[in-house]
Amino acid sequence: MEKRHIFLIGFMGSGKSTIANYLYKKYGMLQLDMDQYIEKEEGRSVSSIFAQEGEAYFRKLETEFLKSFDEKEAFVVSCGGGVPMNERNVQEMRKKGIIVLLHAQPETIYQRIKNSHHRPLLENNMTESYIENLMEQRWAVYEQAADVIVTTDHRNAEEISTEILEKTKMQGERV
């Protein structure tokens, strides 16, 4: 299969869902939010899945999604923050598309998500220092998985999306 999809990876709050939504609204690019897809399939929230089944079960659902994802039209897929931590997930994304890492500083992330209560890994650890530590643990894996890295600090969706389209050679159209 020709590389057609754009997989947005990065820490929670880096802008993945916002950018996928912007690319849809501005350019008509099809989008899919992995967490929302899993919630719909499971009939419950990510937080409920974590609480009832645990993180390992949720991570298995992410891998199953990527293995079965074979849409013929190009999609922008907003991936959960932990998706690239599994090498099998990275292999599936590489086979099917381009991996774009959205990166923001811990203080930016904190400001974006501090009032959010649907992020199980941060629910009882909503501090800038905890976010920074978790980001440091994930950074090398994120960076290694990425085909393209785009910084999102102090930038609007248009600027970020334009850079993504330039770097991925996609011109804001269904290809």
Side-chain angles (χ1 to χ4, degrees):
M1 177 179 185
E2 183 180 328
K3 285 190 170 192
R4 294 184 156 277
H5 306 296
I6 296 175
F7 292 95
L8 299 177
I9 66 169
F11 200 77
M12 54 194 103
S14 62
K16 301 178 301 286
S17 296
T18 299
I19 297 306
N21 191 44
Y22 182 85
L23 288 167
Y24 167 71
K25 286 182 176 177
K26 176 81 175 183
Y27 300 104
M29 297 176 78
L30 299 174
Q31 67 158 328
L32 194 144
D33 184 294
M34 189 182 297
D35 286 351
Q36 288 178 2
Y37 178 87
I38 290 171
E39 286 178 338
K40 184 177 177 187
E41 289 294 305
E42 287 286 304
R44 53 192 168 151
S45 70
V46 171
S47 295
S48 294
I49 297 168
F50 264 72
Q52 295 169 5
E53 309 293 339
E55 183 176 359
Y57 177 80
F58 181 75
R59 299 301 177 203
K60 181 177 158 235
L61 294 175
E62 291 174 327
T63 301
E64 288 172 4
F65 165 82
L66 287 169
K67 285 171 56 180
S68 67
F69 186 72
D70 64 353
E71 297 294 325
K72 301 300 180 218
E73 291 188 76
F75 274 79
V76 177
V77 181
S78 174
C79 300
V83 169
M85 301 310 291
N86 180 332
E87 179 59 31
R88 191 171 188 179
N89 293 346
V90 173
Q91 291 170 6
E92 288 296 324
M93 290 186 288
R94 279 210 174 105
K95 281 194 289 188
K96 298 172 182 178
I98 298 168
I99 303 172
V100 177
L101 169 58
L102 298 183
H103 176 65
Q105 294 299 315
E107 52 273 10
T108 302
I109 299 290
Y110 176 73
Q111 288 303 315
R112 289 177 180 168
I113 67 173
K114 65 183 177 186
N115 296 317
S116 173
H117 295 288
H118 66 280
R119 301 175 192 278
L121 291 179
L122 295 180
E123 188 56 37
N124 297 313
N125 301 298
M126 191 64 76
T127 66
E128 201 173 302
S129 63
Y130 185 82
I131 290 168
E132 183 174 10
N133 288 337
L134 191 52
M135 287 177 73
E136 285 176 9
Q137 292 171 23
R138 292 181 174 188
W139 178 252
V141 175
Y142 282 175
E143 192 174 34
Q144 186 174 12
D147 295 311
V148 171
I149 300 173
V150 176
T151 301
T152 65
D153 296 288
H154 313 294
R155 299 177 74 198
N156 64 37
E158 182 177 357
E159 294 167 328
I160 296 163
S161 297
T162 298
E163 183 175 347
I164 289 169
L165 295 175
E166 287 172 357
K167 287 184 172 181
T168 61
K169 307 289 190 264
M170 295 181 132
Q171 300 304 312
E173 54 194 56
R174 295 182 194 177
V175 290

